[in-house]
Amino acid sequence: MTESQDPNRSRVAEEVLSALRCLACRGHLDDRGSELTCDDCGRKYPRVNGVVRFVDAEHYAGSFGFQWNIFRQTQLDNEASCRSESDFRRRTGFEPEDLKGKLVLDVGCGMGRFAEVATRWGARVVGIDLSLAAEVAYENLKDRRAVFFQADVFKLPFAPESFDYIYSLGVLHHTPDCKEAFNVLPDLLKPGGRIAIWLYSKYNNWYKMSDMYRKVTRRMSPRILHILCHGVIPLYGVHQALRKIPLVGRSASGALAYMIPMAHNPDAKWRVLDTFDWYSPWYQSKHTYEEVFPWFENCGLEDLHVGLQPIAVTGRRPVVGAATVERDQNLEVQRCAE
């Protein structure tokens, strides 16, 4: 049974419930409707606005709660745009046939942009977000095979080997420690399962000026910053005009872009959203493939691939096959004989 099939839309699907664990004692959780309760220690996790809370605050992710309440459906695909599906393919390498019928973990689901794609492809999605964006995702996808939790990536309420696929796109670099956040995830994969992450690239210097501005902007009220970000609407027009000037126009536009980094999406609403998304987070790290590949290798992941949009990496958790088991047994017998 899925949440969308439940008349009260409040019960957690049995498959997901069996994977959930108490944060305090790792005991199994029972769904009581208004809350989840640990069978062993009795700790309770309340359900508010359709979302079970495994944290008591948004902590460093408050700007995202604001952001996705303002732009709650901006990035959802529709008849006019399939950008989210295109980005999902480019950043994960996954195809519909990969996810169909699979249990998938969306780490940092936001308002459900990529969960919408995955459920449309036939996946059963579990989305987690530290911010109140989880409520928006719940409302956006309440008729899909998806459940959402407010939870911290550094302390996730799931048993090992619970998911067929895991993805985290544009999220882990907004945590206090991107590498440690990633290290939590591979153990949650079933043998043979795949994980995909996408992080900000460190290969160019265009963001240097914005990093200076971010020392101020990340401390601003999200509401004030959102208002200021509307300045990119006319500024985009300035860039368009500059580029039409012969000889020096493109250089002038490039200089302006370096001094005032902003999103250049032709859609004004996306432009404001992407610019706010860049300047508002408290944490924002950048990475290289040389740095990220060892993360995967040190976690024992194999079959690594890069995506079409840096920094995108996917890997698979190894499957211990029958031949491997037999070989290990033979080695053990040999050691005992010696």
Side-chain angles (χ1 to χ4, degrees):
M1 180 179 68
T2 66
E3 282 197 317
S4 60
Q5 294 170 327
D6 184 84
N8 298 317
R9 292 192 284 111
S10 64
R11 305 293 291 182
V12 175
E14 290 300 318
E15 180 183 29
V16 178
L17 189 62
S18 66
L20 287 170
R21 295 292 183 270
C22 175
L23 296 179
C25 70
R26 307 307 292 176
H28 290 267
L29 300 179
D30 181 39
D31 192 344
R32 304 284 178 84
S34 63
E35 63 190 16
L36 299 185
T37 303
C38 178
D39 292 335
D40 294 337
C41 71
R43 182 170 176 176
K44 299 177 180 180
Y45 302 93
R47 177 182 278 107
V48 182
N49 296 330
V51 176
V52 176
R53 315 298 170 142
F54 289 96
V55 294
D56 56 9
E58 295 182 284
H59 302 291
Y60 55 84
S63 67
F64 291 106
F66 173 88
Q67 172 178 315
W68 296 124
N69 271 280
I70 295 293
F71 300 98
R72 53 180 44 232
Q73 293 192 333
T74 301
Q75 294 184 325
L76 291 180
D77 283 348
N78 52 47
E79 294 180 356
S81 172
C82 291
R83 178 173 171 178
S84 288
E85 180 172 311
S86 176
D87 286 347
F88 188 73
R89 289 177 186 268
R90 286 163 52 83
R91 297 172 184 178
T92 66
F94 299 159
E95 295 293 335
E97 58 269 23
D98 297 325
L99 300 191
K100 186 175 181 180
K102 303 299 186 180
L103 186 63
V104 178
L105 178 62
D106 181 337
V107 180
C109 61
M111 40 64 79
R113 174 190 184 188
F114 296 119
E116 190 279 328
V117 175
T119 54
R120 182 158 28 99
W121 286 4
R124 304 183 304 281
V125 175
V126 177
I128 68 103
D129 204 284
L130 181 59
S131 79
L132 293 176
E135 292 184 8
V136 183
Y138 170 77
E139 287 299 324
N140 281 337
L141 300 176
K142 58 190 177 185
D143 62 340
R144 302 289 185 90
R145 301 190 72 183
V147 294
F148 298 95
F149 304 111
Q150 188 180 4
D152 185 347
V153 67
F154 293 103
K155 199 171 185 181
L156 290 175
F158 304 114
E161 300 186 3
S162 292
F163 298 96
D164 299 295
Y165 284 80
I166 297 174
Y167 63 82
S168 184
L169 309 181
V171 176
L172 301 182
H173 50 231
H174 292 312
T175 67
D177 191 323
C178 186
K179 176 183 177 182
E180 289 306 311
F182 171 79
N183 286 342
V184 173
L185 304 178
D187 283 346
L188 301 180
L189 279 174
K190 297 176 183 177
R194 294 196 68 88
I195 181 172
I197 64 171
W198 175 71
L199 307 172
Y200 287 156
S201 171
K202 197 178 182 180
Y203 285 117
N204 55 56
N205 294 322
W206 72 268
Y207 55 80
K208 295 297 185 182
M209 290 300 296
S210 67
D211 278 356
M212 292 178 58
Y213 300 149
R214 275 182 33 78
K215 294 177 182 179
V216 176
T217 59
R218 68 176 186 165
R219 300 177 185 275
M220 296 176 65
S221 157
R223 192 172 303 277
I224 297 300
L225 179 59
H226 175 238
I227 293 172
L228 292 177
C229 285
H230 279 77
V232 303
I233 297 178
L235 194 56
Y236 180 78
V238 173
H239 280 283
Q240 296 300 102
L242 284 173
R243 290 172 185 173
K244 294 178 181 180
I245 300 175
L247 301 179
V248 299
R250 290 191 174 275
S251 296
S253 175
L256 178 60
Y258 181 80
M259 293 303 299
I260 308 178
M262 57 172 274
H264 287 264
N265 193 296
D267 185 294
K269 196 167 186 179
W270 276 73
R271 194 154 67 245
V272 174
L273 164 58
D274 287 345
T275 303
F276 180 88
D277 185 81
W278 184 264
Y279 285 103
S280 62
W282 189 259
Y283 296 105
Q284 186 185 99
S285 57
K286 292 86 176 176
H287 303 274
T288 65
Y289 283 117
E290 292 83 359
E291 176 187 7
V292 173
F293 260 72
W295 299 358
F296 280 70
E297 293 165 345
N298 292 339
C299 288
L301 297 169
E302 60 184 18
D303 191 24
L304 306 189
H305 294 275
V306 299
L308 297 176
Q309 183 179 1
I311 299 293
V313 183
T314 66
R316 184 181 67 232
R317 185 169 185 176
V319 178
V320 180
T324 303
V325 172
E326 183 178 358
R327 182 192 64 203
D328 291 344
Q329 290 174 339
N330 290 337
L331 288 174
E332 183 62 27
V333 170
Q334 181 178 352
R335 282 195 295 267
C336 290
E338 294 173 351

